[in-house]
Amino acid sequence: AIERTLSIIKPDATRRNLTGRINAKFEEAGLRIVAQKRLQLSVAQAEAFYAVHKDRPFYRDLVTFMVSGPVVVQALEGENAVARNREIMGATNPANAAPGTIRKEFAESIEANSVHGSDSAENAAIEVAFFFSGIEIVG
Ligand code: CMP
């Protein structure tokens, strides 16, 4: 089915001017960027977005990292977009990411791992709505 998923190009990647090269990976793999904006997240916004991880040991460092520079938030659309995007990103830890994936090519560490992607269709709907209103998404 045609799905939408929420993607974030993280501060380690925007800092290294990799937005275009990462977007090319999505487009070459058949996903369409149907909404996109560059933001400086506040601590409160990053905490809210990652609230699901609030009891994890890495939560505070994750929030600090996500506000360390600009992010590019985007809605990606395509056939099986949630799972497809996770294939394109590669494993969370770049040490385990397959060749050709974004994290294998660009990520610096498990924290500075260049991209976020929704992990389920249910979370994708929640995460897309966190950043975008209906009129900002143009399919
Ligand atoms: P992301 O898909 O954005 O979701 C949560 C993020 O926490 C994850 O990518 C990683 O960048 C980050 N993170 C940092 N440390 C860890 C860890 N030990 N295990 C999982 N995720 C981690």
Side-chain angles (χ1 to χ4, degrees), residues 10 50 53 56 58 62 92 103 110-111 113 115-117:
K10 296 187 180 185
Y50 280 119
H53 293 307
R56 304 269 214 120
F58 56 81
L62 172 62
T92 303
R103 285 165 170 162
I110 193 169
E111 175 176 88
N113 66 352
V115 281
H116 165 82

Side-chain angles (χ1 to χ4, degrees), residues 2 13 20 28-29 44 54 60 63 65 68 70-71 84 94 113 119-120:
I2 300 292
E28 284 162 6
K54 67 178 183 328
R60 192 45 48 193
V63 168
F65 169 66
S68 68
V71 296
R84 189 82 192 90
N113 66 352
D119 65 2
S120 66

Side-chain angles (χ1 to χ4, degrees), residues 32-86:
R32 185 173 295 274
I33 301 163
V34 294
Q36 176 167 260
K37 55 192 172 188
R38 181 172 166 105
L39 302 172
Q40 171 63 54
L41 296 180
S42 68
V43 169
Q45 288 167 336
E47 285 175 347
F49 181 78
Y50 280 119
V52 60
H53 293 307
K54 67 178 183 328
D55 295 326
R56 304 269 214 120
F58 56 81
Y59 178 68
R60 192 45 48 193
D61 286 345
L62 172 62
V63 168
T64 299
F65 169 66
M66 291 300 288
V67 304
S68 68
V71 296
V72 175
V73 298
Q74 32 190 210
L76 306 178
E77 183 180 272
E79 187 67 30
N80 287 322
V82 174
R84 189 82 192 90
N85 185 40
R86 294 181 72 76

